Amino acid sequence: MTSTASSNVTHLPTYPSARPAWVTDEVVARLTDRVFRSPDGDESIVATAPYDLAPIAPVPTSSAADVAAAVEVARLGAAAWNRRSFRDRAAVVLAFHDLFLAEQDQLIDLIQWEMGKARFSAWQEILQVANIARHYARVGEKYLAPKSVRGAIPGLTKVAETRVPKGVVGIISPWNYPFYLGVGDAIPALLAGNGVVSKADSQTALTLLFARELMGRAGLPTDLWQIVVGRGSVIGTALIDQVDYIGFTGSTATGRTVGEQAGRRLIGASLELGGKNPLIVRPDADLTKAAEGCVASSFANTGQMCIHTERVLVHADVYDAFKAALVKATEGLRLGQTYDYTVDIGSLASEAQLATVVDHVENARAHGATVLTGGRARPDLGPLVYEPTVLEGVDASMTVCAEETFGPVISLYPFSTDAEAIELANRGSYGLSASIWTKDTHRARLMAAAIRSGSVNINDGAAAAAGSIEAPMGGMGDSGLGRRHGAEGIRKYTEAQTVAEQRGMALGPPASMAVEKFVAMTNGQLKLLRKLRVR
């Protein structure tokens, strides 16, 4: 594995402080003061910075009672917020857009300090939220506009389908994309007229709190968006018990629990869960581009993203050539820890993530898999740095074959026909993202229709679909339910309401007409409508 060192890449035996210089104790106090908790609360949680394993900062934790109070505060705020025009709400979101773009360097610093990713991966969160904010502020009103529909008696019944806010939306967001997944889901919920209570992940709470500060400066009412922090088993459960809709991004196991709890309360839930995503290389693919695309979708964010590639399916005719191109592209990645753009792959987020990656690779190696490149931790570059790793010879006896690694590890599998590739792609219970590389895009679209996956990218690894903000993003099977982005990404935060106005005669038989005569007459009308092909 090739690594590029520079003056600001950390090394053992001691790691310089990873804390950005501008993040003073006063800044931390200002941000953490935005956590919703009672004045007499005294418990805090302290995360560990991936770059140096030092404590980040104490963040106050909320209690279950605090969560209930936060929801009530947000509910009161939502009543006034929903009375404002969509244009007024959009103006706040667009002002927020401009603020976080102007102050993105500080925001990116926080993301890196708390999560450990490379700076370009952190900047991609800025890009994604900017696109989300602009899109929903500009077209959200169209997505939510009342829609006229045919009434029971055309001309006499006027019917409209309208959208009304859910009330208070709860959002439980993960650590791997604290800005994108924490804020990107809150924006459409707010624009739809809801209050929001967000559970910040304890690892990356400062990032979400800084975003909340910027939103307040943009003009968002103080009460409307509340942030709570603490253990999921306490405040996550309390949040689901109080809100009118829950959005969760995280593991499939936890997602099942969230879905069950939401179901008992008969509230809606959007769940983006795990993935074991396949990438298919057909024999006519441009192998250099396919290898580069595979590297991007496999190792971006240090492999810690739900849509990243973990299974690489390669046609036997080009297997060896593609393997060589992939190993070369992987070994060209720059590894390290910096607050600039000189490295491509940063740190894993926690010792637990590193332990999972090590376990999967060592288990595969012990059962006969071959490590083509990578396969080792790099404590000389950072305490949680692990080399991007490519495996072959993986089979069902190995943990890495079916379980989500959520790290910089991929496995190669040969196939002989498109049908076999589809069968391999559909193995397992996940169905979040897939990729097909080929010059025959018509064939790729036919294959896509047979792949059980919420998104299928053609000649791209993952970003094309995920970055298409107007298109829905979500999973099938154990990868979850519901969609973010597009029309569904904002409509899910509303209830459909039918408003019907009857004009002139009432429905049903007039008082002067026998019921039998009315039924016979209506039956004749039904037959006529069928003959006229009226919908």
Side-chain angles (χ1 to χ4, degrees):
M1 168 63 62
T2 301
S3 63
T4 299
S6 61
S7 60
N8 56 352
V9 175
T10 57
H11 293 275
L12 284 178
T14 60
Y15 296 101
S17 172
R19 183 170 182 159
W22 66 270
V23 187
T24 63
D25 290 344
E26 290 76 16
V27 169
V28 170
R30 189 186 78 224
L31 295 179
T32 56
D33 190 52
R34 293 185 174 275
V35 177
F36 192 103
R37 71 164 181 175
S38 58
D40 58 350
D42 59 2
E43 292 189 13
S44 298
I45 193 166
V46 182
T48 299
Y51 278 6
D52 60 1
L53 298 185
I56 292 178
V59 178
T61 58
S62 311
S63 67
D66 293 333
V67 172
V71 171
E72 286 310 304
V73 170
R75 194 178 302 283
L76 290 173
W81 175 248
N82 188 44
R83 288 194 293 269
R84 294 172 61 172
S85 68
F86 187 92
R87 181 172 295 184
D88 283 350
R89 300 197 295 265
V92 172
V93 169
L94 290 174
F96 170 68
H97 168 282
D98 296 343
L99 272 173
F100 77 72
L101 281 183
E103 302 193 18
Q104 64 179 278
D105 284 343
Q106 290 179 314
L107 186 53
I108 292 171
D109 284 349
L110 279 180
I111 294 171
Q112 288 193 274
W113 182 33
E114 293 191 298
M115 194 265 166
K117 65 178 69 182
R119 197 164 187 84
F120 182 72
S121 293
W123 172 82
Q124 288 178 313
E125 296 198 49
I126 306 297
L127 170 67
Q128 196 78 332
V129 176
N131 286 335
I132 289 170
R134 189 184 64 254
H135 178 72
Y136 282 122
R138 296 299 188 201
V139 303
E141 188 170 21
K142 178 181 177 182
Y143 287 147
L144 301 178
K147 177 184 176 183
S148 294
V149 296
R150 186 174 64 83
I153 302 178
L156 295 179
T157 309
K158 181 180 180 181
V159 182
E161 176 190 328
T162 64
R163 315 296 305 192
V164 296
K166 292 280 188 180
V168 177
V169 172
I171 297 174
I172 302 175
S173 55
W175 49 262
N176 61 323
Y177 281 92
F179 186 58
Y180 163 44
L181 296 177
V183 181
D185 284 347
I187 285 172
L190 292 167
L191 283 172
N194 298 283
V196 173
V197 178
S198 293
K199 178 197 172 298
D201 191 277
S202 300
Q203 178 68 37
T204 53
L206 295 181
T207 297
L208 193 58
L209 291 166
F210 186 63
R212 178 62 186 91
E213 178 179 270
L214 293 178
M215 191 73 86
R217 285 166 51 189
L220 190 77
T222 302
D223 295 344
L224 195 62
W225 183 18
Q226 302 296 337
I227 309 293
V228 293
V229 179
R231 290 187 293 116
S233 59
V234 176
I235 65 168
T237 298
L239 188 62
I240 303 168
D241 279 343
Q242 299 293 330
V243 296
D244 305 301
Y245 185 91
I246 190 72
F248 171 81
T249 304
S251 71
T252 297
T254 304
R256 291 185 190 281
T257 301
V258 171
E260 289 171 2
Q261 188 178 349
R264 287 194 296 271
R265 290 198 58 231
L266 298 180
I267 64 170
S270 178
L271 310 171
E272 186 185 292
L273 310 178
K276 192 72 177 176
N277 306 300
L279 181 148
I280 298 170
V281 182
R282 296 187 73 243
D284 65 340
D286 183 318
L287 299 186
T288 299
K289 290 182 179 179
E292 292 170 350
C294 181
V295 164
S297 65
S298 302
F299 303 129
N301 215 52
T302 322
Q304 298 168 121
M305 58 180 182
C306 54
I307 60 172
H308 91 114
T309 297
E310 292 206 14
R311 298 180 294 139
V312 184
L313 317 177
V314 188
H315 194 279
D317 290 351
V318 295
Y319 183 90
D320 289 338
F322 175 80
K323 178 172 72 173
L326 179 63
V327 169
K328 180 180 179 181
T330 301
E331 293 181 344
L333 293 170
R334 300 169 299 173
L335 219 60
Q337 300 184 162
T338 73
Y339 280 97
D340 59 31
Y341 293 96
T342 59
V343 301
D344 305 308
I345 307 297
S347 173
L348 289 160
S350 67
E351 291 177 294
Q353 287 304 119
L354 176 61
T356 297
V357 170
V358 170
D359 175 69
H360 281 204
V361 173
E362 294 310 310
N363 173 271
R365 200 192 314 254
H367 285 79
T370 300
V371 177
L372 297 175
T373 188
R376 60 182 178 139
R378 291 295 300 272
D380 56 315
L381 298 179
L384 303 180
V385 173
Y386 194 91
E387 291 180 339
T389 299
V390 181
L391 304 173
E392 72 172 348
V394 171
D395 60 36
S397 69
M398 305 170 192
T399 307
V400 75
C401 183
E403 291 188 16
E404 184 179 28
T405 304
F406 217 66
V409 180
I410 58 176
S411 305
L412 296 179
Y413 303 86
F415 69 87
S416 299
T417 66
D418 287 347
E420 184 184 3
I422 292 168
E423 190 274 329
L424 288 171
N426 286 337
R427 281 188 184 175
S429 57
Y430 293 115
L432 188 57
S433 180
S435 173
I436 304 171
W437 291 80
T438 179
K439 293 185 177 69
D440 188 346
T441 56
H442 173 71
R443 179 59 188 161
R445 290 180 182 277
L446 294 176
M447 292 176 67
I451 294 174
R452 190 185 69 253
S453 180
S455 298
V456 179
N457 298 266
I458 298 173
N459 293 328
D460 182 80
S468 300
I469 302 302
E470 199 168 347
M473 176 186 174
M476 302 178 183
D478 283 359
S479 290
L481 53 87
R483 296 292 184 268
R484 58 168 52 98
H485 301 172
E488 189 172 343
I490 189 169
R491 287 177 182 158
K492 69 183 181 182
Y493 297 125
T494 65
E495 298 281 8
Q497 183 182 63
T498 299
V499 179
E501 175 190 349
Q502 187 65 22
R503 297 175 293 189
M505 64 178 291
L507 296 176
S512 59
M513 181 182 292
V515 173
E516 293 85 355
K517 183 177 180 180
F518 176 82
V519 169
M521 183 179 69
T522 303
N523 283 337
Q525 291 173 342
L526 292 175
K527 293 176 182 178
L528 178 62
L529 291 172
R530 171 70 173 86
K531 184 178 294 186
L532 295 175
R533 304 178 69 86
V534 174
R535 60 182 177 86

